Amino acid sequence: MTHNLKKILLLATSISSYALINTSAYAFAADENDTTPSDTFEEVVVTGSRIKRKDLTSVGPVSVVTQQMIRNTGITSMETLLQRLPSSAGFGGNQTAAYWVSNGWGTPQVNLRGLGVNRTLVLLNGRRLVNGGTGANSSVDLSMIPMAIVKQVEVLKDGASAIYGADAVAGVVNIITDTDFNGLEASAKFGMTGKGDGEEYLMDLTWGTSSDQGSLVASLSYQDNKPSPLADRVPCPLASDSETQCNGSSSTAGGRAVYIDGVGDLVRINFNNEPGGKSWAPYDRSIHGYNYNVNFNAVNPIKRLSFSSFGHYNLTDDVRLFGEMMYTNRRSTQPASPNAVTQFTLAADHPTNPTGEDLLIESRRLVELGERVFLQEVNTFRIVAGVEGSLSDSWSWDVALNWGRNTGMDTITNVVNLERFNETIDPNVCGTNGIPCGDYLGVGNVSQAVLDYLPFDMTDTGGNEQLSLTANISGDVFELPAGKVGFAAGVEYREDKGWRQPDSLKVLGIANSNAEDPISGKTKAKEAYAELSIPVLAEVAFAKNLDLNLALRFSDYDTFSSDTNYKIGVNWQVVEGFKLRGTYSTAFRVPNVPELFGGVSEGNLTTTDPCSGWSSLDAGSNIYKNCQAAGVPVGYTQLGNTILTDRGGNPNLEPEDARSLTFGAVWQPGFAEGLSVTVDYFDVKITDAITEPSGSVKLAQCYESDNLTHDFCTPVHHTRNAVTGEVNYLSAQKTNAGSERLKGIDVGVVYNFNAMELNHTLDFQVSYLDTFERTAFEGDVPMVLNGFIGAGFGGYPKWRANTSFNTSAENWSATYSVQYIGAGDDFFATDGIGSHMGAVMYHNVQGTYNIMENLVLSAGIDNLWDKKAPRVASWTDGNTDTMTYDLAGRRGYIRLTYRMQ
């Protein structure tokens, strides 16, 4: 497809969207109380409870995103839908932040409240999903769920371990599929960015049939998203004190080296970055830095093929078989800068060393090899088989076997074999036995023989598997004056397994990549729970209804001691139109396979060294005195924004414990039919938190302490190069010593009304993060997250919101939405460029038109005004925080949907 044709299509999309006066916005996440009589069911199970009810209300705060709301947004990926919720924060994998997902680049995830992807429980039709990625993962791969099969998404923003067991600390995302579909629906979508890249091709085909005997729904989905190059949007990484000066990686193309001159001073030089002989000059990062933006993407490509089927068969009037089957193949890629070799020496008399000095080559990026490419292929299978039935009008039961398996392969191309590299610089070895001699000083001096000899494609494999057997029963046990007492109980047996086998050269330590050991382990759990819903008062003064909800769950794991969790909830309908609700619950999270059984791995992580520029600070400050005492040279400046960091598992970890408090109000005034206002306060405290203190935190705590007395100052945690002062070893091991505290308020306003013979919905959802403190260990100074953005943590602005306005008629609809990301400060930069980020708003517009009864045209534009990502001092890529902001820019789409009953 030519660039001109792409531009025409984008223009057509824009015109269509404006003509339909519509935005890809959210009547986004309505509270479960925002229902009309037509929305009620005979009996339903609301996320957060196992007791069937005759309404959609729940004690805890539940946001509901319906199928129609999803269609109004034009969103075609689950991670985009969930990560735009105001209740999401921090880091969650997506195709913009694909480079930063551990054990599975490109894995899409959800992170409720910013408490961590491993503290958000994701369910499909109320049952667990196997973790996903490329091996030994700790969260669900959301790409396994095609949007075409989704009927509704319920998000419980409350701890729910008493109902669902481990991991439901921040909340629960329950994705409900459309199992009652009848007919045939085919849909095709094309979209792209305003720059003519990032093309999205999507095709969905869904078929379903039902009769008195049962039902069957099958769906096939294919998605192919093309890349959006980073350099077209952000030409280069910028110097910290400049809006225009490029300041690339200190791993230079020609080679950065140091030597000690005749008077004992450290001299840093750089060899020629362009082909043509061999020359060197004093190192200047603004001149010699490598611009890796030309290798990276702002948004990375992904291909996904999914097949799913759901059905049931009635054995009798009271018993039926049911089953679910899903398969997803994901292929994702991310280009990266050429491999760099570091920390090797060339003696003064080495044949390739023209300086006459003993050189320490700090880094040489082998641009002659070409860029690396990260490739992932992930296959996920899930099968559920069970039987369910009813014992009477009020009692129901179900038994189900749930099996899921995920296998993945990670490949990185053009990785240097370090054993071979060392051979090429050893004059006593190279030149014999087919080993070529390498000249790495200056671009263009590496021979083709060396380029053929050094690289290999490094491939890791791994997977995750889950097997569970559940049995549940629910019904009314007896009747009180205020109503019937609801009861639910059940048992569950579950096995979770994870494994990861790194490339053999990586295990041996001779791959020029992050060192990693194999991971393999399994946990087993036996659990039982019970839940009661007790009507206390009904139809009395100031208590139209007052219900008490109680739940208790006992969990017995093979690797830890047992754990018991409970939940107490109150649902108080004070008068018609006004309700108070609240819950107090405990929750827990068990260490996952990589946390327990993971070997030591290394990674270049975004890290700030407090000793950078220490000699210019106040001589009385702790940082000045400590960096001086540690032997860091005067004038030392950190080279780059990452430091090689060791991370690893700990088999002695215990489960995390949490307690959660929520209380709120729901107001539906009689004078404004269709208006609903919800306000909910939340307070979460986690103890025995499994923490992996970041390198930045460890270094900051050490050098801000008195006389280097902090535990993080010991060699167990970090060391420095005695000559250059650079951090050459940094450890971030996992421990149970941490704690976290989170407080805030959610507000929702939904107003459904009719005007000018049209249907309108105004939806406003906002979350205020009042407190978020993370303590690495007891007695430590808490790290404040609320109001801060960047440094590899993601974004924790105090305010997040979504607002949308939808108008619909019989044959068309239009939506305009605004996503609001509040202002925030950089985690570590207190002044200067990128130290404070103002509020950002993304405007989206979307519209649909029924061309004929069975054919619907949709068109939309996201980021309508092409809002650029703000500068973040502690950026991850593109001079911004890719985990918080949009890098793609304006993008549009058109979609055709045909449905035949």
Side-chain angles (χ1 to χ4, degrees):
M1 184 177 293
T2 67
H3 184 69
N4 288 337
L5 180 56
K6 291 178 181 178
K7 288 292 187 182
I8 292 171
L9 282 172
L10 184 61
L11 178 61
T13 301
S14 304
I15 294 173
S16 299
S17 301
Y18 281 113
L20 294 170
I21 320 171
N22 179 30
T23 300
S24 98
Y26 303 163
F28 195 101
D31 185 89
E32 77 281 0
N33 295 277
D34 307 324
T35 60
T36 63
S38 62
D39 292 322
T40 59
F41 299 83
E42 291 185 6
E43 264 192 343
V44 295
V45 176
V46 179
T47 300
S49 173
R50 296 285 190 182
I51 297 174
K52 291 189 175 181
R53 307 168 188 273
K54 291 187 176 180
D55 56 52
L56 290 176
T57 63
S58 73
V59 176
V62 176
S63 294
V64 178
V65 186
T66 67
Q67 189 176 62
Q68 187 57 52
M69 291 176 183
I70 295 171
R71 288 177 176 174
N72 287 346
T73 68
I75 290 174
T76 52
S77 68
M78 184 59 65
E79 67 272 18
T80 301
L81 182 77
L82 295 175
Q83 289 175 13
R84 288 189 186 179
L85 289 171
S87 53
S88 291
F91 171 69
N94 54 45
Q95 296 315 302
T96 299
Y99 295 102
W100 302 92
V101 184
S102 99
N103 279 5
W105 292 287
T107 303
Q109 303 161 321
V110 59
N111 187 354
L112 289 181
R113 303 293 190 204
L115 285 170
V117 297
N118 52 5
R119 293 182 182 140
T120 300
L121 181 62
V122 180
L123 307 175
L124 185 68
N125 296 325
R127 298 181 183 86
R128 288 178 177 258
L129 289 163
V130 65
N131 288 337
T134 52
N137 302 101
S138 59
S139 63
V140 171
D141 181 350
L142 295 176
S143 69
M144 71 173 289
I145 305 168
M147 298 297 288
I149 67 172
V150 176
K151 178 181 180 180
Q152 185 165 290
V153 180
E154 296 177 358
V155 181
L156 173 66
K157 298 167 287 186
D158 187 15
S161 286
I163 303 297
Y164 299 110
D167 306 332
V169 176
V172 178
V173 175
N174 188 12
I175 302 164
I176 301 170
T177 60
D178 189 353
T179 57
D180 298 321
F181 185 87
N182 276 286
L184 177 70
E185 182 176 284
S187 179
K189 176 185 177 183
F190 172 75
M192 65 179 178
T193 73
K195 294 184 177 295
D197 56 25
E199 301 92 336
E200 178 186 11
Y201 302 90
L202 175 68
M203 290 175 285
D204 294 315
L205 181 65
T206 304
W207 169 85
T209 184
S210 63
S211 68
D212 293 340
Q213 284 296 106
S215 68
L216 179 64
V217 177
S219 179
L220 182 67
S221 178
Y222 176 75
Q223 185 172 16
D224 184 0
N225 289 7
K226 303 297 184 182
S228 297
L230 179 60
D232 292 346
R233 292 154 173 82
V234 185
C236 63
L238 295 173
S240 60
D241 58 352
S242 173
E243 296 282 6
T244 58
Q245 178 65 52
C246 291
N247 194 30
S249 168
S250 58
S251 293
T252 67
R256 171 173 51 87
V258 294
Y259 64 88
I260 305 297
D261 66 10
V263 295
D265 290 335
L266 182 73
V267 179
R268 179 171 281 113
I269 61 175
N270 197 83
F271 288 86
N272 51 290
N273 280 351
E274 299 294 334
K278 186 177 294 186
S279 59
W280 62 96
Y283 171 74
D284 183 339
R285 187 174 176 183
S286 64
I287 298 173
H288 301 122
Y290 179 78
N291 180 13
Y292 48 80
N293 282 19
V294 299
N295 303 116
F296 282 61
N297 283 327
V299 183
N300 289 287
I302 183 173
K303 292 182 180 180
R304 189 193 68 219
L305 175 66
S306 299
F307 174 77
S308 53
S309 181
F310 306 85
H312 76 269
Y313 179 77
N314 298 324
L315 295 175
T316 69
D317 290 342
D318 299 323
V319 179
R320 71 177 189 175
L321 300 174
F322 64 90
E324 302 176 4
M325 193 274 283
M326 296 183 67
Y327 166 73
T328 299
N329 172 267
R330 168 171 65 88
R331 300 187 181 191
S332 46
T333 63
Q334 305 87 38
S337 53
N339 218 190
V341 288
T342 61
Q343 303 296 313
F344 63 97
T345 60
L346 295 177
D349 60 354
H350 191 277
T352 67
N353 182 356
T355 65
E357 304 285 351
D358 292 329
L359 293 179
L360 169 63
I361 313 301
E362 295 179 296
S363 186
R364 162 70 154 96
R365 191 177 299 276
L366 293 173
V367 294
E368 296 90 342
L369 282 177
E371 68 180 16
R372 293 168 294 164
V373 179
F374 294 33
L375 308 135
Q376 306 88 44
E377 181 172 4
V378 178
N379 291 289
T380 305
F381 303 84
R382 183 176 188 263
I383 296 174
V384 175
V387 58
E388 61 186 0
S390 58
L391 301 175
S392 65
D393 290 341
S394 67
W395 283 88
S396 62
W397 58 272
D398 67 82
V399 178
L401 180 68
N402 180 1
W403 173 82
R405 182 178 174 87
N406 152 267
T407 57
M409 180 177 66
D410 257 333
T411 297
I412 305 178
T413 66
N414 279 339
V415 177
V416 172
N417 181 322
L418 290 179
E419 184 176 63
R420 292 190 171 190
F421 172 80
N422 289 329
E423 291 173 346
T424 65
I425 59 174
D426 186 346
N428 298 318
V429 175
C430 71
T432 62
N433 300 319
I435 301 172
C437 293
D439 184 353
Y440 299 103
L441 301 181
V443 171
N445 295 317
V446 183
S447 69
Q448 187 60 49
V450 171
L451 297 178
D452 294 337
Y453 186 68
L454 290 182
F456 73 104
D457 291 346
M458 184 176 66
T459 299
D460 304 338
T461 60
N464 307 272
E465 187 170 358
Q466 184 180 84
L467 175 68
S468 68
L469 179 63
T470 58
N472 303 284
I473 188 169
S474 66
D476 299 329
V477 287
F478 54 85
E479 189 166 0
L480 294 175
K484 295 179 179 179
V485 175
F487 172 78
V491 294
E492 179 174 1
Y493 172 79
R494 187 173 66 256
E495 294 181 2
D496 287 285
K497 183 191 304 182
W499 65 96
R500 184 171 176 83
Q501 182 60 51
D503 189 280
S504 59
L505 296 187
K506 184 191 289 189
V507 174
L508 293 173
I510 59 177
N512 190 33
S513 181
N514 303 330
E516 189 176 337
D517 292 332
I519 300 173
S520 181
K522 179 166 66 173
T523 60
K524 298 179 182 179
K526 299 174 184 176
E527 299 180 292
Y529 77 92
E531 181 185 4
L532 280 173
S533 178
I534 305 171
V536 179
L537 296 172
E539 302 299 338
V540 299
F542 301 108
K544 184 174 178 61
N545 295 107
L546 177 61
D547 296 335
L548 178 66
N549 288 77
L550 305 173
L552 184 72
R553 191 180 187 101
F554 174 78
S555 304
D556 184 22
Y557 279 81
D558 64 332
T559 47
F560 335 100
S561 56
S562 61
D563 205 319
T564 301
N565 290 274
Y566 62 88
K567 185 170 186 174
I568 303 171
V570 175
N571 213 358
W572 181 13
Q573 189 77 44
V574 183
V575 294
E576 188 72 35
F578 183 72
K579 180 175 75 172
L580 298 175
R581 62 188 180 190
T583 63
Y584 181 84
S585 63
T586 62
F588 76 114
R589 182 183 77 84
V590 299
N592 50 49
V593 168
E595 289 172 334
L596 284 169
F597 309 110
V600 176
S601 63
E602 293 178 323
N604 281 297
L605 306 182
T606 301
T607 307
T608 299
D609 186 349
C611 287
S612 182
W614 69 268
S615 56
S616 63
L617 301 177
D618 180 358
S621 67
N622 278 358
I623 292 180
Y624 183 100
K625 291 186 290 186
N626 287 334
C627 294
Q628 184 181 54
V632 181
V634 172
Y636 165 76
T637 301
Q638 181 182 358
L639 301 175
N641 67 331
T642 63
I643 293 177
L644 190 65
T645 305
D646 282 2
R647 296 183 293 177
N650 182 353
N652 298 315
L653 290 173
E654 290 290 328
E656 298 177 334
D657 290 316
R659 70 114 180 100
S660 177
L661 171 69
T662 69
F663 61 83
V666 181
W667 182 43
Q668 295 171 304
F671 62 81
E673 184 178 356
L675 175 64
S676 177
V677 180
T678 62
V679 180
D680 288 287
Y681 169 82
F682 57 89
D683 183 344
V684 182
K685 182 178 182 180
I686 301 173
T687 56
D688 294 328
I690 299 171
T691 60
E692 190 176 10
S694 72
S696 295
V697 169
K698 281 195 168 185
L699 293 174
Q701 293 289 336
C702 168
Y703 290 96
E704 289 172 2
S705 66
D706 293 332
N707 301 316
L708 297 171
T709 54
H710 199 288
D711 184 58
F712 290 162
C713 299
T714 63
V716 174
H717 295 283
H718 86 278
T719 60
R720 291 183 179 273
N721 185 292
V723 176
T724 66
E726 291 180 304
V727 175
N728 56 13
Y729 170 74
L730 185 59
S731 174
Q733 297 296 113
K734 296 176 176 63
T735 176
N736 267 116
S739 64
E740 299 186 23
R741 187 68 181 272
L742 177 84
K743 298 178 185 179
I745 296 175
D746 293 328
V747 178
V749 179
V750 178
Y751 186 32
N752 297 295
F753 62 98
N754 298 321
M756 297 182 291
E757 299 183 349
L758 298 173
N759 301 316
H760 308 278
T761 298
L762 174 66
D763 188 297
F764 173 71
Q765 305 291 327
V766 61
S767 184
Y768 173 70
L769 186 59
D770 176 71
T771 301
F772 195 166
E773 294 182 348
R774 182 177 292 164
T775 305
F777 53 90
E778 187 176 357
D780 188 25
V781 177
M783 178 183 181
V784 177
L785 284 82
N786 56 298
F788 292 91
I789 298 170
F793 298 110
Y796 295 87
K798 291 187 176 181
W799 293 96
R800 285 179 181 263
N802 280 315
T803 303
S804 70
F805 185 77
N806 175 268
T807 297
S808 63
E810 183 178 357
N811 292 320
W812 62 271
S813 71
T815 309
Y816 193 94
S817 69
V818 179
Q819 179 190 6
Y820 176 86
I821 301 172
D825 294 323
D826 187 88
F827 271 99
F828 298 108
T830 57
D831 56 27
I833 300 171
S835 61
H836 176 78
M837 288 64 71
V840 172
M841 291 190 290
Y842 296 114
H843 296 252
N844 311 298
V845 61
Q846 195 262 357
T848 63
Y849 179 73
N850 297 342
I851 299 175
M852 57 183 68
E853 183 178 358
N854 296 327
L855 185 62
V856 179
L857 170 67
S858 302
I861 301 176
D862 281 355
N863 195 354
L864 179 64
W865 308 116
D866 200 23
K867 182 69 176 179
K868 307 302 181 185
R871 180 81 171 271
V872 179
S874 299
W875 47 268
T876 48
D877 288 310
N879 303 314
T880 191
D881 183 59
T882 56
M883 305 169 187
T884 304
Y885 301 110
D886 173 36
L887 272 176
R890 183 188 296 117
R891 52 203 177 275
Y893 75 90
I894 55 176
R895 182 170 186 165
L896 279 174
T897 302
Y898 176 78
R899 182 164 185 173
M900 180 174 63
Q901 298 286 349

